[in-house]
Amino acid sequence: MKRRQWLGLGVSGGSSLLLGGCALNGLSKAVGNATQPLNERIEALMQSRNPVPEFRRDQVDPDALLVNSFNGVPRLDPESYRLQVDGLVSQPLNLSLADLAALPQHDFVIRHVCVEGWAAIVAWSGVRLADVLSLAGISSLGGYLAIDSADQYFSTWDIAAALHPQTLLATGMNGAPLPVVNGAPVRLATPIKLGYKLSKWVTRLQVIATLETRSGTWEDKGYEWFAGL
Ligand SMILES: Nc1nc2c(c(=O)[nH]1)N[C@H]1C(S)=C(S)[C@@H](COP(=O)(O)O)O[C@H]1N2
Ligand SMILES: [Mo]
């Protein structure tokens, strides 16, 4: 079935209601927690099979993308920047921007959606997160990806979403190098997750087996963890 048909049947809508973090009362929260692993598996399966339709380049609205930074704007030196990839991998990596530029480059035009009530069509370019993770070799024990940022922002993703072909480590935006306020030199971009999952100024990707007490900067404050679109 196509993604739209799933949506039409209310499969995604129903599970999103259960997972919706902010407006939950005690009872629905308990229900949400009890069914969350199943819903996550269903949503991950749906997403992994359905590439999201992309927009045209002329639909990009550069002014619609608002800057969201919870803790200021870190300035990372492009020369000394390294992306650390470690945890449950067979080959830990320490990638420079030149290393990333040497990998196959991809771009797409997608809608960025922030829970604070705005959205923007953005063109992103960069390397597939899946390509970097396959260079590192994810252990069969790896279930989640923990993402550290230079501003101390933190998030965790399901591996299926990290491996989605439209999930990028973006180094470019709207046809230009990624601006510092938007996460330079490297940020996450994908059409399958809400804005708060799209970490800017990424410095470390760590493959982990289970979600520990910290699942993310906003997730730990009650924002829904899966945050699928
Ligand atoms: N490191 C870091 N990444 C972050 C954030 C942040 O504060 N710090 N804010 C998130 C939120 S809520 C959104 S909507 C997007 C906004 O991206 P933009 O500032 O490029 O528009 O970045 C996300 N990634
Ligand atoms: Mo956001």
Side-chain angles (χ1 to χ4, degrees):
M1 266 196 284
K2 294 244 188 315
R3 178 180 167 83
R4 294 263 162 247
Q5 290 172 286
W6 277 101
L7 293 174
L9 286 173
V11 174
S12 174
S15 53
S16 301
L17 272 182
L18 284 177
L19 291 169
C22 307
L24 290 177
N25 62 35
L27 179 65
S28 61
K29 185 159 181 114
V31 174
N33 288 343
T35 58
Q36 190 155 343
L38 178 61
N39 281 318
E40 278 161 19
R41 265 180 274 139
I42 292 170
E43 293 200 54
L45 188 69
M46 285 169 57
Q47 290 194 336
S48 65
R49 296 191 174 176
N50 293 288
V52 177
E54 295 171 14
F55 293 84
R56 297 186 317 272
R57 188 69 177 76
D58 62 280
Q59 290 176 294
V60 168
D61 183 355
D63 299 330
L65 186 72
L66 307 180
V67 170
N68 181 297
S69 295
F70 93 115
N71 196 20
V73 174
R75 275 162 210 282
L76 300 175
D77 171 20
E79 290 297 316
S80 58
Y81 174 81
R82 294 292 180 277
L83 175 65
Q84 188 182 338
V85 186
D86 61 2
L88 297 169
V89 296
S90 43
Q91 178 62 63
L93 305 172
N94 215 17
L95 302 172
S96 67
L97 291 176
D99 294 331
L100 290 174
L103 293 173
Q105 303 293 306
H106 299 271
D107 48 69
F108 50 60
V109 181
I110 56 145
R111 191 194 306 276
H112 176 105
V113 181
C114 175
V115 282
E116 288 176 331
W118 55 270
I121 295 175
V122 188
W124 300 109
S125 54
V127 302
R128 284 191 173 134
L129 180 52
D131 288 350
V132 168
L133 292 175
S134 82
L135 277 179
I138 301 176
S139 146
S140 55
L141 295 174
Y144 301 91
L145 187 66
I147 301 135
D148 283 299
S149 296
D151 63 343
Q152 311 308 311
Y153 198 78
F154 179 66
S155 189
T156 48
W157 284 42
D158 53 295
I159 289 287
L163 295 179
H164 191 282
Q166 289 164 301
T167 297
L168 293 188
L169 286 168
T171 52
M173 191 183 104
N174 298 341
L178 184 64
V180 171
V181 288
N182 300 108
V186 176
R187 74 169 296 159
L188 287 169
T190 187
I192 65 168
K193 296 273 185 206
L194 282 167
Y196 61 85
K197 301 303 272 194
L198 306 181
S199 299
K200 306 191 281 187
W201 310 294
V202 173
T203 54
R204 182 182 183 197
L205 304 171
Q206 187 190 8
V207 178
I208 55 177
T210 52
L211 292 179
E212 304 298 340
T213 44
R214 252 181 9 134
S215 75
T217 301
W218 292 118
E219 295 88 331
D220 293 344
K221 295 177 169 44
Y223 281 49
E224 191 228 317
W225 175 76
F226 191 83
L229 278 181

